[in-house]
Amino acid sequence: PEQVHAALAINSSGRHVARGIGSALGGITLAIAGAGTVFLINAASFAAILVVLLLWCLSTPAKIQKKSPLLAAIKEGFAYTLKSKTLLATHMLTATFGLSSSALWALLPLFAREDVGMTPFQYGLVMSAFGLGSLFGVSVLAWLRRLFSDNGATGLGVMIMACSLAGLAGSRKILDALISMCIAGIAWIIVVSALNTHLQKNSEEWVRSRSVAIFATIWQASLAFGSFLWGVLAAKTDLRFTLYASALALAVTALLFVRWQLFKPGKNAC
């Protein structure tokens, strides 16, 4: 249990490293063979994932303690979450962070091309910088948790994310964007792994996977809805102003993380 935080951070950073490498390779392929080839190779790559999942499921059968019909199981998961103040607070902070930070993913491609003048390959490098930052963030986690409380460390992560977005908004050169995205990767791992760890530690084993599923749904929904809102603002103003506004929203979110004192020793799930 004491290694859950680090394990989740490594898992998350691995995804971001892969995203960065994939973006860079996609940029090279786009320049050489065109967009159609990029999407064809991308589609074919899922065959490897299917093979791994098939072998994994065959070698490790699922151990289900309590079998329930699908809709009943979903209902139980939501009922459990609604009874837990800790889980509700975690989901609320997750949604707030997702809404505030979603401007990065919604506007980065357009900002990179039109405001900084990046090529597809350079955009891939910027994404790789985020992945490298997330790897570095895994090692920073333990150090921060020794210096600060969990609330303080997570709030600091959100504030670092705000600073990185402000730095990105002020970028005029590719190097500036690379540095900002690397810092954003560090902050992202600190915050997302803390929320995910807290959620899993405060969910009983029989409902933990459903708690994670609800967390993922809220997370993706907040990113999607936030992207729409930031896109509307960018259309009415401009990209740099919108990124600065997102940075301000993240600064307010950091205060919420510290104020709500979410991570308290000895807190029970319900």
Side-chain angles (χ1 to χ4, degrees), residues 36-80:
T37 304
V38 174
F39 285 108
L40 183 62
I41 294 173
N42 188 194
S45 70
F46 284 96
I49 300 174
L50 292 172
V51 170
V52 171
L53 287 174
L54 179 62
L55 294 175
W56 178 38
C57 292
L58 290 174
S59 61
T60 312
K63 296 180 180 179
I64 302 174
Q65 294 180 347
K66 181 182 178 182
K67 293 185 177 181
S68 302
L70 177 61
L71 293 178
I74 293 174
K75 184 179 179 180
E76 287 175 354
F78 276 106
Y80 182 88

Side-chain angles (χ1 to χ4, degrees), residues 119-191:
T119 64
F121 175 69
Q122 289 169 336
Y123 175 75
L125 291 180
V126 168
M127 293 299 298
S128 298
F130 186 92
L132 290 174
S134 69
L135 274 180
F136 183 67
V138 174
S139 60
V140 169
L141 270 173
W143 177 69
L144 282 179
R145 295 178 74 189
R146 285 196 298 268
L147 292 178
F148 303 97
S149 65
D150 284 339
N151 286 289
T154 310
L156 179 61
V158 180
M159 186 59 72
I160 293 173
M161 190 72 190
C163 293
S164 67
L165 265 179
L168 181 66
S171 298
R172 302 289 176 179
K173 299 179 180 179
I174 296 173
L175 180 60
D176 299 333
L178 284 170
I179 295 172
S180 295
M181 286 297 287
C182 185
I183 295 172
I186 296 172
W188 192 270
I189 287 300
I190 293 172
V191 178

